Amino acid sequence: MTTPVPPVPPGTPLPKPTPSTDSLPSAVLPASAPVPTAAPPPLGRRLAAELVGTALLAAAVVGSGRQADALTSDAGLRFLANVGASAAALTVLITLFGPVSGGHLNPLITAGAWWTGRGTPAGLPLREAVGYAAAQTVGAAAGTGLADAMFGHPVFRLSAVSRGSGALWLAEAVATGTLLLVVTGATVAGRGRLVPALVGLWVVVACWATSSGGFANPAVTLGRALTDGWTGIAPGSVPGFVLAQCAGAAAGLGLAALLFDGRERAHPGVRPGSSDKR
């Protein structure tokens, strides 16, 4: 038996219904209501994504150089084709693998994600960052060998293209530092979804505007030492390039901390659009 509800006198205001928080977006939930966060994919899957993604990036860089070399003797056209293919590959690969591993494809992007997320519950642990860098390096070597095999060239033949000078090292520092500034700044500013396009555009600019060609990626730099094509780099030139890239990355992170407020809170390993550079 139910209790009868007494009639409401005329003119009495009716109480406003209380909405269920289940139907409200998280932006309007009270501060005490926890916002659910998705767990990152298993580490093995993320490492595989970084390995495959970096391998495809290196294959695109070296393979497009081989293709351009076979099609034309014009150095400008070869470089234009190589830069365009590399930038397009980066944009696609970061977009594709971003939801899995963050689409870093670059040990310095991984280092930046670890550094900016340190001390936060969702930060990328140092152990995982080291695993990312190892997977990226193996992937870059594998991708370089794959590209040469596809074009019928000897696999893993050391490059003889010397790229050692102070001007080139300065150029690498500028290219890499700006890359880290672009990725970290866009992420901190809440524009992570734009990172794939921003990185692709910066690749084009860095390749044309710096004397080094804007490698800006230690893993792919090591991989390119294993090809005798014109996109290669002599093993003796690798240490100078890598040191310059590391110095530039540190400067880029420092500028990002100075120019942008806040620190990234999303898990650095799975946010859409971490980046890399060729």
Side-chain angles (χ1 to χ4, degrees):
M1 180 176 179
T2 59
T3 304
V5 178
V8 179
T12 302
L14 296 176
K16 295 182 179 180
T18 302
S20 170
T21 58
D22 293 339
S23 62
L24 293 178
S26 60
V28 297
L29 287 176
S32 59
V35 179
T37 56
L43 178 59
R45 186 184 303 171
R46 285 184 276 139
L47 295 180
E50 287 297 305
L51 190 152
V52 172
T54 312
L56 293 175
L57 173 62
V61 172
V62 176
S64 62
R66 290 293 193 187
Q67 184 75 283
D69 196 31
L71 294 176
T72 178
S73 60
D74 188 303
L77 286 178
R78 290 203 308 258
F79 191 64
L80 178 63
N82 182 237
V83 170
S86 301
L90 263 177
T91 303
V92 171
L93 294 172
I94 295 170
T95 302
L96 177 64
F97 293 109
V100 181
S101 65
H104 297 184
L105 316 183
N106 184 332
L108 293 178
I109 295 299
T110 298
W114 165 74
W115 178 258
T116 55
R118 71 195 187 286
T120 64
L124 184 67
L126 180 59
R127 178 181 64 86
E128 295 186 5
V130 172
Y132 268 46
Q136 292 154 358
T137 302
V138 172
T144 299
L146 175 63
D148 279 339
M150 288 191 296
F151 285 90
H153 290 274
V155 176
F156 299 144
R157 175 176 289 182
L158 296 181
S159 173
V161 182
S162 178
R163 301 178 188 266
S165 74
L168 296 181
W169 298 336
L170 175 61
E172 273 301 285
V174 171
T176 311
T178 307
L179 172 67
L180 268 292
L181 177 62
V182 167
V183 173
T184 306
T187 303
V188 171
R191 293 181 170 85
R193 293 186 181 278
L194 296 178
V195 167
L198 293 175
V199 170
L201 290 173
W202 176 245
V203 168
V204 175
V205 174
C207 287
W208 281 101
T210 66
S211 58
S212 66
F215 285 41
N217 184 330
V220 176
T221 300
L222 288 170
R224 289 168 69 164
L226 303 176
T227 178
D228 61 353
W230 65 270
T231 58
I233 177 173
S237 300
V238 169
F241 261 54
V242 172
L243 288 175
Q245 291 161 358
C246 292
L253 288 173
L255 281 174
L258 178 66
L259 298 174
F260 299 95
D261 292 329
R263 294 170 63 185
E264 54 187 319
R265 299 303 182 191
H267 192 288
V270 296
R271 70 181 187 275
S274 281
S275 118
D276 157 53
K277 172 75 181 55
R278 56 170 290 219

